[in-house]
Amino acid sequence: MAGLVLDGKKIATQIETELAVEVADFVENNGYSPTLAAVLVGDDPASAVYVRNKGLACDRVGIDSKMHRLPAETGEEELLELIATLNADENVNGILVQLPLPPQIRASRILDAVHPLKDVDCFHAENVGLLVQGRPRYLPCTPHGVLQIIDRSGLSVAGKHCVVVGRSDIVGKPITTLLAAKDSPVGPNCCNATVTMCHSRTADLAAITRTADVIVAAIGQPKFIKAHMVKPGAIVIDVGINRTDAGMCGDVDYDAVREVASAITPVPRGVGPLTVVMLMHNTLSAARCQLT
Ligand code: NDP
């Protein structure tokens, strides 16, 4: 029997509805809306779509958003000046710098410059350190979305073997940390896993993924995880977003793997919509953190 489809879009809409109520409460109690400043450098079409979607999500939940568009040839110093201005602006609670940045700008320098309290993507070393120490200030958006899908679908990773494929700072490393943590802000079903993190140098990847109760694929390779790599009954979370001539697809060969898995996220309508909502969640958290 084909596995249960985990509808990320539906879960994202539920969370958005809850957030809109919390944001309205915040506005009533404090007299202003939480505010997100989005910074987009250059004209990468996918980045422009992501930033636009984030702005629309802000509108839906009642968060103010301010867009800062800079030309592709912007220099590092100029971008750092903008970040310093946004850091000092008490009307800005969260700062989002859309990645990737053009090659002349070192992303690490820019992300390190964002004030940790306004770092709603959870990329700053201070926030990553807090996360690794098990006392997160903010949860990184995509990994948080994965945990919300698990929790709100009535699934559990506790005591299970999770295999994360990918070791990026944005997805692979933080989701590995969160799944292996002793506890989770999301709930007891989202932590205490035994986690194996794999990458492009992993030997015999399929032998490892076949031992997984839960696979999280964050690779960036279309349909890379095949049915023979999945243990029957495993839960499969596909973080990948790949644009191909045939349209958008994930890192998992969805149709074939669904026949083996007990539950699976589709692409689109899987993890992607959660990422945007968790950014809204962090912007509200940032506004609360900055209350004087
Ligand atoms: P990165 O390119 O930064 O990292 C990819 C990781 O996958 C690397 O650790 C790499 O290993 C590993 N990898 C690549 N090829 C293989 C292979 N053949 N076998 C095993 N491991 C491999 O990507 P991201 O983590 O940023 O993103 C991953 C995917 O998730 C992308 O499709 C991206 O678009 C998507 N994404 C989706 C989001 C969402 O909201 N749903 C948000 C962010 C990303 P190594 O380190 O050895 O190079």
Side-chain angles (χ1 to χ4, degrees):
M1 200 174 71
L4 174 71
V5 178
L6 304 171
D7 188 340
K9 178 80 183 143
K10 194 168 153 192
I11 295 170
T13 304
Q14 275 167 9
I15 300 176
E16 234 181 58
T17 306
E18 295 163 15
L19 267 178
V21 174
E22 289 188 57
V23 171
D25 275 357
F26 181 95
V27 175
E28 196 176 317
N29 292 330
N30 300 289
Y32 63 91
S33 300
T35 299
L36 176 69
V39 179
L40 177 61
V41 186
D43 26 51
D44 175 51
S47 294
V49 170
Y50 289 141
V51 170
R52 188 172 151 268
N53 286 344
K54 289 165 185 173
L56 291 171
C58 283
D59 294 345
R60 289 195 298 271
V61 300
I63 288 175
D64 277 352
S65 62
K66 293 180 181 167
M67 172 71 158
H68 297 266
R69 273 196 107 116
L70 299 177
E73 59 277 11
T74 300
E76 210 169 77
E77 297 308 321
E78 193 184 336
L79 183 52
L80 285 169
E81 270 173 38
L82 173 60
I83 301 295
T85 304
L86 297 173
N87 281 342
D89 185 345
E90 61 181 23
N91 296 318
V92 169
N93 303 117
I95 301 170
L96 156 86
V97 182
Q98 185 63 44
L99 301 178
L101 290 166
Q104 74 276 15
I105 300 178
R106 285 166 290 178
S108 59
R109 235 189 127 205
I110 304 303
L111 300 179
D112 283 353
V114 173
H115 191 290
L117 287 181
K118 298 191 178 187
D119 170 37
V120 285
D121 268 325
C122 195
F123 290 157
H124 192 283
E126 180 177 313
N127 290 325
V128 174
L130 289 169
L131 179 75
V132 171
Q133 289 184 344
R135 47 189 186 126
R137 175 184 283 142
Y138 305 126
L139 296 185
C141 300
T142 302
H144 188 184
V146 170
L147 299 190
Q148 289 288 348
I149 290 179
I150 290 166
D151 192 58
R152 289 176 183 251
S153 305
L155 303 171
S156 177
V157 300
K160 297 197 173 147
H161 182 210
C162 297
V163 172
V164 175
V165 191
R167 59 175 164 184
S168 71
D169 292 340
I170 297 177
V171 190
K173 280 184 204 161
I175 191 67
T176 297
T177 300
L178 285 163
L179 292 170
K182 274 192 173 177
D183 48 42
S184 168
V186 179
N189 292 332
C190 297
C191 51
N192 285 311
T194 302
V195 189
T196 305
M197 184 165 61
C198 301
H199 45 77
S200 67
R201 305 292 186 91
T202 297
D204 202 355
L205 178 67
I208 298 171
T209 56
R210 272 199 301 271
T211 66
D213 304 308
V214 180
I215 296 176
V216 179
I219 310 165
Q221 308 267 356
K223 303 187 181 187
F224 182 86
I225 302 289
K226 307 288 183 199
H228 76 271
M229 300 169 76
V230 179
K231 179 168 81 174
I235 296 165
V236 180
I237 310 282
D238 189 353
V239 178
I241 298 177
N242 305 292
R243 288 179 173 77
T244 68
D245 292 344
M248 187 193 286
C249 71
D251 290 341
V252 175
D253 186 2
Y254 178 81
D255 290 333
V257 171
R258 193 180 163 209
E259 296 303 317
V260 183
S262 62
I264 184 168
T265 58
V267 178
R269 291 184 71 91
V271 176
L274 269 300
T275 297
V276 181
V277 179
M278 297 345 291
L279 179 71
M280 303 299 110
H281 171 95
N282 282 355
T283 305
L284 174 60
S285 298
R288 286 176 174 150
C289 282
Q290 288 157 44
L291 286 173
T292 46

